[in-house]
Every structure is written in C-alpha cells, then in structure tokens.
Amino acid sequence: MEFFIDTAIVDEIKEINAWGVLSGVTTNPSLIVASGRDFREVIGEIAAMVGGAISAEVTSLEADEMIAQGKDIATWNEHIVVKLPLTPAGLQACRVLTDAGIKTNVTLCFSVPQALLAARAGATYISPFAGRVDDIGWDGIDLIRDIKEAYVQGGISTKVLAASIRHPTHVVQAALAGADVATIPYKVFTQMVKHPLTQAGLDGFMKDWAKRAGASAETPASEAGTNPQAGGVTPQGGSTK
C-alpha cells in the first residue's frame, strides 16, 4: 500500500517526504485555505518536492466549469491528479477529463454504488472516507474492503485510496482491507513512527555507547576510543561485562 500525505502545509510535507515513504500528496479546498497560500503556487511547490501523484481539487459545482478548471489545473505539473466530487457533475467531468488523458481522483465517496459509478466514469483513484463513515455509526474500513472486493470481482483498475484516516490503526486496517493507497494526515504519520519499546531500546543503546572511555552519547565512534578495562566495548563491538 502506498502512502500519500493529506495536507497542503509545505513544511509538513517536507518533513515526512524526507523519510522516503511518500508516493504522493492529497489536498482539498479546506487544506489550501488552511495553508494560507495561493492555490497554484502551493500545488507547484508540492509537486516539485514530492514528484508523485498530487491531487488538486476543482472548486466549481458545475460540470462545464469543473472540466475547464480540471484541464487548467492539469497543466500546472505533470504529476497533477484532478480531484472531483462524487456528484453527477463530478462524474461527467471525470469522464471528459479521463478521455483527455488526465488522471482523476473522485472524492467524498461513502458507498459501494458510488465507487462503482466513479470507476465506470474512468476515475484513476476513488477516495472512500473511512473516518467520516465511522462518525455516523457505520464501519469505514468495511466500506474500503467492499469497494476493493467489488473492483477485484469486476476487473476494475481504479485504485482505492483510503481517506479520512484518523489514527495508525486505520492505516493498518486499510492495508489489510486491500486499499491501494492511504492518504494520511501529518499527525498520524508522527504517531505511526513512534513506539515506546523503540525509544526504550534506543535509550539503552545510547547509554551503553556513552560508557566508552572519553565518550558521551553524542560522541561519534571515530572521535572516541574504547577502554575494555573501563567496562566499555571491544573494537569488535562485544561487551566486556
């Protein structure tokens, strides 16, 4: 399963992209507004940074205007994926843009019938909103699983992009449900990388490393020798205790 980051905050994208785990970015009008940046400017900066699929959403509700906006947005960068709402107008725009060779991400999906319609309209990605489905008392991960199963049974190539991810468990569940992509908020990425046992193990390693003669936890190995008689480590890395 590929990882996208769901934000338009460039500093957040830069940090997570440095980990080497990102395949793309998703944005929406609300995220663009939150960034406080010009739409085209921020999308261009993100696309140059990540170099993967970058979803940029239209802001019209009318098919003709969606199509015109989508064609314009697609010229901003070769990695742009035009994001469209799952409405009759959005499906119409999806078909026209797909036929023009433009990649699309149909968003605000909350049911399997909607996902099947988007696939027939040629969507490159479908974005079911797991967290928002959970909010109304249904199971968002079951929705992702059912959409994926329907696509597999129908030989459909549209990628299932799990959206509205709220916590690391959602990421695991989406992967097990067969999602092709999960788009994850910055906060959840920072939660995913942490585990108390990882930190405890690292603290122990650094404490032992600091026992080298003349060394501290921050001293590089090249700048401090070892003193086996002082209870350090041997040059081969074995403990003297």
Side-chain angles (χ1 to χ4, degrees):
M1 183 174 73
E2 292 183 321
F3 290 157
F4 292 0
I5 186 169
D6 192 34
T7 184
I9 305 299
V10 170
D11 286 347
E12 294 180 349
I13 297 167
K14 183 176 181 180
E15 178 182 341
I16 305 303
N17 190 51
W19 296 2
V21 301
L22 288 185
S23 297
V25 179
T26 55
T27 70
N28 60 45
S30 296
L31 292 174
I32 293 293
V33 170
S35 77
R37 302 277 303 280
D38 174 76
F39 185 20
R40 180 167 183 167
E41 180 182 78
V42 72
I43 291 296
E45 187 172 345
I46 291 169
M49 182 189 311
V50 177
I54 312 299
S55 285
E57 189 165 349
V58 299
T59 56
S60 175
L61 299 178
E62 302 298 327
D64 289 346
E65 293 179 4
M66 288 184 189
I67 293 165
Q69 284 186 357
K71 288 181 175 180
D72 177 53
I73 291 170
T75 67
W76 297 355
N77 186 281
E78 62 180 329
H79 299 296
I80 294 292
V81 177
V82 176
K83 202 170 181 182
L84 302 159
L86 215 164
T87 63
L91 293 173
Q92 182 180 340
C94 181
R95 171 47 61 195
V96 172
L97 294 174
T98 297
D99 289 346
I102 296 170
K103 293 181 178 180
T104 55
N105 176 0
V106 177
T107 188
L108 294 171
C109 175
F110 297 97
S111 74
V112 177
Q114 286 182 317
L116 291 171
L117 287 170
R120 292 302 303 163
T124 310
Y125 298 93
I126 184 68
S127 290
F129 278 35
R132 293 197 193 182
V133 171
D134 286 352
D135 289 345
I136 61 171
W138 297 352
D139 192 321
I141 297 300
D142 277 352
L143 172 61
I144 291 168
R145 184 179 294 108
D146 289 347
I147 291 172
K148 184 64 179 181
E149 179 63 19
Y151 282 4
V152 169
Q153 291 295 328
I156 293 169
S157 60
T158 299
K159 293 184 177 182
V160 178
L161 193 163
S164 189
I165 297 294
R166 300 285 175 78
H167 43 71
T169 301
H170 262 161
V171 180
V172 175
Q173 292 172 331
L176 294 175
D180 300 287
V181 185
T183 187
I184 304 169
Y186 169 82
K187 178 182 178 181
V188 177
F189 270 112
T190 63
Q191 293 169 336
M192 288 171 63
V193 77
K194 295 177 182 178
H195 193 283
L197 294 181
T198 301
Q199 189 60 50
L202 184 60
D203 290 345
F205 294 158
M206 293 298 97
K207 182 179 179 181
D208 289 343
W209 192 244
K211 294 176 183 178
R212 294 172 300 144
S216 70
E218 294 77 23
T219 305
S222 60
E223 297 179 12
T226 58
N227 181 354
Q229 300 305 317
V233 294
T234 68
Q236 289 75 33
S239 175
T240 62
K241 293 185 177 180

